[in-house]
């Protein structure tokens, strides 16, 4: 990795966590450049509120990862530990895996769709990356995302004696979404994206005709983002 990129990557040095717990230290100094930006504690609390309110039917189709696990995975010293935590979650038993990403002091949302299922005309494995700052080139994370997925599969495949899939053939989609109007709201936008996707994602969908059919141009509404943010329990 180039030295410049290494300097830019957000490094979290003190992370008190174990799989299935909420314990963490405050990372305002490393995750927030602006006073109104959601730090990881506030983000995680709001993020878990979304899942707490899900119906049992939704919980059967969705799972999520801790909001710092991807960041910690990018740090070589904690990569193996993170992969062990994820392995315990058996994430590919679910239709959708929702993964918050905080990198370079910016939040985005990665959603893995139908990874543990057989491809069909009605169902296509894909990755969806929702980012409220397209001017920063969301796909700059694609190499790290694909390596992350490969490493997760390798850990699970050892248990199932299966070969990892050709992740290079799984598309990474970056739909148009409302864009933040300042340098502070990326965390709030990610919470909105997660809430909206969980609420509206169908049981199955295919990308053979392009983007998921339910992600129409009017699916994301800037006014709805403002309303959602005003109701967040911070």
């Amino acid at each position: 990795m180039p030295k410049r990129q290494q300097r830019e990557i957000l490094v979290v040095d003190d992370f008190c966590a174990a799989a299935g717990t909420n314990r963490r230290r405050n990372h305002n100094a490393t995750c927030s450049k602006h006073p109104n930006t959601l730090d990881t504690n506030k983000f995680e609390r709001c993020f878990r509120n979304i899942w707490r309110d899900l119906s049992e039917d939704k919980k059967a189709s969705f799972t999520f990862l801790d909001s710092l696990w991807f960041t910690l995975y990018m740090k070589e010293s904690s990569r193996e530990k993170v992969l062990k935590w994820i392995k315990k979650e058996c994430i590919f038993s679910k239709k959708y895996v929702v993964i918050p990403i905080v990198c370079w002091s910016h939040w985005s949302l990665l959603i893995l769709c139908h990874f543990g299922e057989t491809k069909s005309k009605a169902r296509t494995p894909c990755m969806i990356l929702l980012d409220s700052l397209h001017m920063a080139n969301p796909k700059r994370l694609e190499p790290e995302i694909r390596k992350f997925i490969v490493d997760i599969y390798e850990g699970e495949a050892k248990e199932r004696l299966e070969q990892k899939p050709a992740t290079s053939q799984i598309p990474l989609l970056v739909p148009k979404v409302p864009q933040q109007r300042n340098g502070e709201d990326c965390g709030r936008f990610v919470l909105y994206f997660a809430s909206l996707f969980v609420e509206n994602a169908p049981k199955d969908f295919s990308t053979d005709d392009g983007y998921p059919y339910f992600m129409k141009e009017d699916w994301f509404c800037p006014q709805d983002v403002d309303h959602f943010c005003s109701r967040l329990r911070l």
Side-chain angles (χ1 to χ4, degrees), residues 195-224:
S195 177
L196 194 62
F197 188 91
V198 169
E199 180 181 348
N200 291 281
K203 183 178 179 180
D204 296 302
F205 68 84
S206 173
T207 60
D208 289 346
D209 296 324
Y211 282 109
Y213 70 87
F214 60 96
M215 300 181 76
K216 299 177 181 178
E217 291 185 3
D218 60 350
W219 191 51
F220 293 100
C221 175
Q223 291 76 19
D224 288 346

Side-chain angles (χ1 to χ4, degrees), residues 107-176:
W107 290 98
S108 55
L109 188 70
L110 175 66
I111 305 172
L112 310 181
C113 306
H114 306 307
F115 266 57
E117 301 176 286
T118 304
K119 182 177 180 180
S120 67
K121 291 183 178 180
R123 184 192 307 121
T124 307
C126 69
M127 297 178 285
I128 299 174
L129 184 61
L130 304 178
D131 195 308
S132 60
L133 197 63
H134 279 192
M135 62 181 295
N137 184 21
K139 280 208 169 185
R140 72 194 186 284
L141 281 172
E142 184 169 1
E144 286 80 12
I145 288 173
R146 292 193 180 278
K147 186 177 187 306
F148 182 55
I149 302 306
V150 168
D151 285 349
I152 294 174
Y153 261 118
E154 286 184 338
E156 293 197 3
K158 290 178 182 178
E159 294 288 321
R160 302 191 305 261
L161 300 179
E162 296 176 1
Q163 292 184 339
K164 63 184 179 184
T167 57
S168 61
Q169 299 177 11
I170 298 177
L172 176 64
L173 309 177
V174 184
K176 292 182 179 180

Side-chain angles (χ1 to χ4, degrees), residues 11-232:
V11 176
V12 182
D13 292 319
D14 298 312
F15 180 50
C16 299
T21 73
N22 290 327
R23 292 180 301 156
R24 64 183 61 231
R25 292 180 182 177
N26 195 317
H27 299 293
N28 289 359
T30 54
C31 292
S32 301
K33 290 185 177 180
H34 302 274
N36 294 325
T37 302
L38 288 183
D39 61 59
T40 55
N41 286 325
K42 290 180 180 179
F43 180 94
E44 187 72 12
R45 184 165 64 250
C46 295
F47 188 62
R48 289 183 181 273
N49 282 340
I50 294 173
W51 301 100
R52 183 194 63 190
D53 297 337
L54 284 184
S55 67
E56 292 303 316
D57 183 56
K58 287 288 186 180
K59 289 179 181 178
S61 297
F62 288 85
T63 191
F64 66 97
L65 296 187
D66 185 285
S67 59
L68 283 182
W69 282 4
F70 183 86
T71 300
L72 287 168
Y73 167 82
M74 292 180 67
K75 186 180 179 184
E76 187 173 355
S77 61
S78 55
R79 182 171 300 159
E80 184 176 349
K81 184 177 294 185
V82 170
L83 291 172
K84 287 181 179 179
W85 293 341
I86 295 174
K87 182 178 177 181
K88 294 179 180 179
E89 300 297 318
C90 300
I91 61 174
F92 296 129
S93 64
K94 304 290 186 178
K95 289 183 176 294
Y96 300 110
V97 184
V98 181
I99 307 173
I101 292 176
V102 55
C103 193
W104 301 301
S105 299
H106 176 67
W107 290 98
S108 55
L109 188 70
L110 175 66
I111 305 172
L112 310 181
C113 306
H114 306 307
F115 266 57
E117 301 176 286
T118 304
K119 182 177 180 180
S120 67
K121 291 183 178 180
R123 184 192 307 121
T124 307
C126 69
M127 297 178 285
I128 299 174
L129 184 61
L130 304 178
D131 195 308
S132 60
L133 197 63
H134 279 192
M135 62 181 295
N137 184 21
K139 280 208 169 185
R140 72 194 186 284
L141 281 172
E142 184 169 1
E144 286 80 12
I145 288 173
R146 292 193 180 278
K147 186 177 187 306
F148 182 55
I149 302 306
V150 168
D151 285 349
I152 294 174
Y153 261 118
E154 286 184 338
E156 293 197 3
K158 290 178 182 178
E159 294 288 321
R160 302 191 305 261
L161 300 179
E162 296 176 1
Q163 292 184 339
K164 63 184 179 184
T167 57
S168 61
Q169 299 177 11
I170 298 177
L172 176 64
L173 309 177
V174 184
K176 292 182 179 180
V177 295
Q179 298 292 283
Q180 62 194 77
R181 296 180 290 273
N182 54 45
E184 304 171 354
D185 285 341
C186 54
R188 293 174 175 83
F189 273 67
V190 163
L191 291 169
Y192 170 70
F193 297 154
S195 177
L196 194 62
F197 188 91
V198 169
E199 180 181 348
N200 291 281
K203 183 178 179 180
D204 296 302
F205 68 84
S206 173
T207 60
D208 289 346
D209 296 324
Y211 282 109
Y213 70 87
F214 60 96
M215 300 181 76
K216 299 177 181 178
E217 291 185 3
D218 60 350
W219 191 51
F220 293 100
C221 175
Q223 291 76 19
D224 288 346
V225 176
D226 295 337
H227 180 64
F228 174 84
C229 291
S230 69
R231 294 186 290 109
L232 283 178

